[in-house]
Amino acid sequence: MGDLDVIRFGDRTKSVTVVLDNPAGGGRHRGWHDAEIVVRSGFVDASLPLHFTDADLAALARYLDARAAAEEGNARPDGSSFDWPEAGRTACLRLIAGDPYVVEVRDPVQSGVTVVVPLLPRDGWAERAATRLGRLRAELTEGH
């Protein structure tokens, strides 16, 4: 398996990345993938376990496709938010389509801590992310 990044949000100084734990297939156990959220900035350098399903990956793909279409259509950020994976089961990312784009890393289950990372991603980021995620989903499907 190639790149283990499920998704990466970033700009020149900060990033939030979801990385699969197991290079042989993401550490899938009973339908769940084991991964880690990695936050890097000048202020925070942290990681947090994350668990998600294939259905969660499909929901993320739909979100990225919608963001890419909005970007291509030159739509202004509308402040809408999307929780991935669905909030309440595990740590999650709240993605807020604003200016700046904001990724909130939320851990309501264990620590109760939320880290807010405002980003200025480059144009075309959503399309590139959707393409990478599509490749990863295909590799995960082939591997199982």
Side-chain angles (χ1 to χ4, degrees):
M1 175 173 269
D3 187 1
L4 297 180
D5 288 359
V6 174
I7 186 75
R8 182 185 184 283
F9 302 94
D11 61 20
R12 294 175 57 113
T13 61
K14 303 173 289 298
S15 67
V16 177
T17 308
V18 175
V19 182
L20 288 173
D21 280 347
N22 183 345
R28 187 185 302 190
H29 303 285
R30 297 186 179 154
W32 291 88
H33 296 281
D34 295 332
E36 187 174 57
I37 301 170
V38 180
V39 180
R40 301 277 185 258
S41 76
F43 179 67
V44 174
D45 190 11
S47 62
L48 180 68
L50 176 69
H51 311 285
F52 55 87
T53 65
D54 289 334
D56 293 321
L57 287 174
L60 181 58
R62 287 189 299 274
Y63 171 79
L64 290 172
D65 288 343
R67 292 290 346 130
E71 237 185 47
E72 188 173 305
N74 294 319
R76 295 188 51 88
D78 60 5
S80 62
S81 66
F82 172 72
D83 288 349
W84 187 83
E86 185 178 320
R89 300 178 295 170
T90 182
C92 72
L93 304 178
R94 174 161 290 164
L95 310 173
I96 304 169
D99 188 14
Y101 191 88
V102 175
V103 178
E104 294 180 359
V105 179
R106 297 171 161 246
D107 182 23
V109 178
Q110 292 183 0
S111 70
V113 171
T114 297
V115 175
V116 179
V117 184
L119 300 165
L120 297 170
R122 294 182 327 185
D123 290 344
W125 72 268
E127 183 177 347
R128 288 188 302 276
T131 299
R132 271 193 312 275
L133 180 59
R135 283 194 304 264
L136 177 70
R137 291 177 69 204
E139 289 183 34
L140 289 173
T141 300
E142 289 173 10
H144 293 287

